[in-house]
Amino acid sequence: MSEVHVPEHLTSRALRVAIVGAGPAGIYAADMLNKSEPVSSGELSLKVDLFDELPTPFGLIRYGVSPDHPRIKGIINALHKVLNNDWINFYGNVGLGRDITLDELHERYDAVIISTGAQKDADLNIPGIELTGSHGGADFVSWYDAHPDAPKDWDLSATEVAVIGNGNVALDVARILSKHADQLLETEIPAHIYEQLNGSAVTDVHIFGRRGPAQVKFTPLELRELSHSKDVDIVLYEEDFDFDEGSEEAIRTSNQTKTMVSTLTNWLIEQEENEEAASASRRLHLHFLQTPVEVLGEDGKVTGLKLERNELDGTGNVKGTGEFTEYPVQAVYRAVGYFGSAVENIEYDGQRGVLPNVEGRVLNAEGTHIDGLYATGWIKRGPIGLIGHTKGDALETINHLLEDLGNLPVPTSNQSIEELLESRGVDYADWDGWMSLDEQEKALGAQAGTVSTRFGEITRDRIKLVEREEMLEFARAKKLAKSL
């Protein structure tokens, strides 16, 4: 980053920044800005307001990470430390385009950063994808993560299920579908999620990947977690373990690929050696080198999935063989990626699901940077990479914002954001409201205490609240207490 010049008008007041989206991307951006040299040296003071359309912060960590991922869920602790500071405010249940406009933010802040992420499922355009029983993986994740806007009921009547995709989300979806609900009682899932998963009819879950074992997109940690599910057999198929020159090169040059191939190969060997020992009530099948070509159905409902067999072409890529197989399944989940949504009054790249930008500087229709408007996270670069990659992404955006200090438009409104929201009757949640809600969810876990299950005793530490209105009650109570 080039040397930062702080303009004269920012020597007498704080730099005011609005961040739209309170997930990891937005919080990391705020943290990077606060830790930047001009701020940490005292040359520049800072005030950040963080907005989210949900009543709670933490975005993807709270509503996109599987509940049985305590290590990743633990990232909330670090994000909590960032938000628990005087220089940053949280405004939950405030939607851009619903409760406030982009122009109103520009009138009150020197810069606006969009970090709304990607929540929708990417499309899979094959015949039959619209049938009843065909689901988006992101929709299922929202349901089992108890997102307040997700449906409260989910059809789990299928005995045989297909999951399309070979990334971490596909493994999460397949693992939650195949895992016995009693094992999930140690997580924060609320009662209605547990009860429905506990009543699931599933016996077999099939994961289908287009390429081979050396080209999978999930991580070793996700793969190993499959084996932690109790009373679930992992089933592999010897004909899927084909390695061309491109695959061998990937194994030689990537420790992650080597680890995953080694794990899968060892599982296959153990399966062949102990074939008669497989006796679990559920099975999780891992298939490779198959491309879905049609979701089959009768009377508008899913009855099967048709796939084409692939072969490696020498480079690690694949080509179809013209050989087709049909699997009888009653539900299909596509987990082929997430996709970002348009943001009101900002240009949108509908092909990639991102805001057009150059290294975080958001562009207008003519391809020119809009002064004071930036993006970070998946809405900036697309839904690729792990949560940790978001830090470097945020740093790039923040460096450009600091380089642009002299060109940022000066706010023109003296009305505070609280005054604006209250004048419109917006029922917003603040940081104190979140702290109160956080305490309540922990109290619910403590109240449940230790639960006896078929897999032993499990202690509940937290139970997630579901209803938006119920969550907002805690924010209202805290705001009322402060006003008295």
Side-chain angles (χ1 to χ4, degrees):
M1 183 182 69
S2 59
E3 185 177 350
V4 175
H5 171 69
V6 178
E8 185 175 351
H9 70 277
L10 288 177
T11 60
S12 58
R13 67 164 176 85
L15 171 70
R16 299 200 290 267
V17 178
I19 300 179
V20 181
I27 298 174
Y28 285 146
D31 190 38
M32 297 289 182
L33 191 52
N34 184 60
K35 290 177 178 176
S36 67
E37 195 280 331
V39 176
S40 58
S41 68
E43 184 182 8
L44 181 68
S45 59
L46 175 68
K47 197 67 179 176
V48 174
D49 287 344
L50 191 66
F51 299 88
D52 202 283
E53 63 179 7
L54 292 172
T56 59
F58 311 128
L60 177 70
I61 306 296
R62 183 170 169 90
Y63 291 118
V65 172
S66 291
D68 57 346
H69 278 331
R71 185 186 66 84
I72 302 176
K73 287 283 188 183
I75 294 173
I76 283 180
N77 296 329
L79 301 179
H80 185 283
K81 291 178 182 178
V82 177
L83 292 184
N84 197 32
N85 284 284
D86 292 338
W87 56 268
I88 187 168
N89 295 312
F90 170 68
Y91 297 95
N93 200 45
V94 178
L96 181 61
R98 183 187 71 200
D99 303 303
I100 52 174
T101 68
L102 184 62
D103 285 343
E104 288 166 342
L105 291 180
H106 280 307
E107 289 168 0
R108 289 163 177 79
Y109 299 91
D110 299 285
V112 178
I113 302 174
I114 306 298
S115 59
T116 49
Q119 296 89 27
K120 298 190 304 181
D121 283 287
D123 291 334
L124 179 63
N125 294 317
I126 60 174
I129 200 68
E130 76 290 343
L131 290 168
T132 299
S134 173
H135 308 286
D139 291 337
F140 184 57
V141 171
S142 292
W143 174 76
Y144 68 62
D145 263 333
H147 190 292
D149 299 332
K152 300 302 180 287
D153 297 313
W154 197 272
D155 183 1
L156 294 168
S157 62
T159 57
E160 299 160 298
V161 177
V163 178
I164 300 169
N166 252 182
N168 284 341
V169 175
L171 288 199
D172 285 346
V173 168
R175 190 183 65 258
I176 295 297
L177 284 167
S178 59
K179 198 170 192 174
H180 289 278
D182 276 5
Q183 268 196 278
L184 292 170
L185 278 176
E186 62 185 353
T187 76
E188 62 192 10
I189 63 168
H192 76 284
I193 305 292
Y194 166 75
E195 289 165 1
Q196 291 179 63
L197 287 171
N198 195 45
S200 171
V202 72
T203 59
D204 291 83
V205 177
H206 299 263
I207 307 176
F208 294 99
R210 189 175 62 86
R211 298 201 287 172
Q215 290 82 36
V216 294
K217 297 297 184 183
F218 45 76
T219 60
L221 177 63
E222 290 276 353
L223 180 61
R224 285 193 294 268
E225 285 194 0
L226 293 184
S227 63
H228 296 164
S229 295
K230 298 177 181 179
D231 191 29
V232 179
D233 284 332
I234 297 174
V235 183
L236 297 138
Y237 297 87
E238 185 176 0
E239 63 269 22
D240 291 344
F241 284 74
D242 186 20
F243 301 98
D244 63 356
E245 187 174 325
S247 301
E248 298 289 354
E249 176 67 13
I251 294 169
R252 284 194 301 270
T253 58
S254 169
N255 286 331
Q256 177 167 302
T257 301
K258 181 179 180 180
T259 298
M260 289 190 292
V261 170
S262 177
T263 299
L264 289 165
T265 303
N266 287 337
W267 285 355
L268 179 64
I269 293 171
E270 292 171 3
Q271 173 184 297
E272 292 173 344
E273 291 176 347
N274 303 289
E275 192 169 352
E276 294 183 1
S279 58
S281 64
R282 293 178 177 177
R283 289 158 295 281
L284 181 57
H285 306 256
L286 298 179
H287 302 270
F288 302 100
L289 297 171
Q290 299 201 55
T291 295
V293 295
E294 184 180 359
V295 179
L296 306 174
E298 292 180 7
D299 300 323
K301 298 180 180 179
V302 172
T303 59
L305 181 64
K306 182 178 181 180
L307 301 108
E308 181 179 12
R309 184 73 184 178
N310 296 325
E311 61 182 10
L312 293 161
D313 66 0
T315 68
N317 290 312
V318 296
K319 57 184 179 181
T321 65
E323 175 188 340
F324 297 92
T325 305
E326 295 181 4
Y327 288 83
V329 297
Q330 300 83 51
V332 172
Y333 291 75
R334 68 186 186 280
V336 294
Y338 283 80
F339 203 77
S341 301
V343 179
E344 186 175 72
N345 293 327
I346 301 177
E347 286 297 312
Y348 175 67
D349 183 344
Q351 295 294 316
R352 298 177 54 223
V354 300
L355 304 183
N357 72 92
V358 176
E359 297 182 345
R361 289 180 170 116
V362 175
L363 308 178
N364 60 21
E366 288 72 42
T368 303
H369 174 219
I370 303 170
D371 289 339
L373 187 59
Y374 302 86
T376 192
W378 281 1
I379 197 63
K380 166 189 172 183
R381 59 186 165 87
I384 53 175
L386 303 175
I387 292 171
H389 294 124
T390 308
K391 289 185 177 180
D393 188 53
L395 181 60
E396 179 182 65
T397 295
I398 292 307
N399 282 342
H400 286 316
L401 188 157
L402 292 171
E403 289 171 1
D404 297 341
L405 284 181
N407 298 321
L408 298 179
V410 178
T412 58
S413 175
N414 293 321
Q415 184 189 39
S416 72
I417 198 67
E418 288 94 344
E419 291 172 335
L420 175 64
L421 294 175
E422 288 169 3
S423 72
R424 289 184 174 156
V426 177
D427 196 7
Y428 68 88
D430 59 14
W431 180 244
D432 286 336
W434 159 253
M435 295 285 282
S436 179
L437 170 60
D438 186 45
E439 292 171 2
Q440 174 64 12
E441 292 187 343
K442 291 175 181 176
L444 290 173
Q447 183 179 341
T450 300
V451 181
S452 295
T453 76
R454 58 179 291 196
F455 302 115
E457 292 190 337
I458 289 176
T459 300
R460 305 213 68 182
D461 297 323
R462 180 190 201 97
I463 297 176
K464 187 184 284 185
L465 292 177
V466 182
E467 300 293 343
R468 185 184 291 258
E469 179 63 24
E470 188 176 11
M471 288 187 272
L472 287 171
E473 285 179 6
F474 293 93
R476 293 190 198 108
K478 281 292 183 180
K479 284 190 285 186
L480 178 60
K482 285 191 292 185
S483 67
L484 296 177

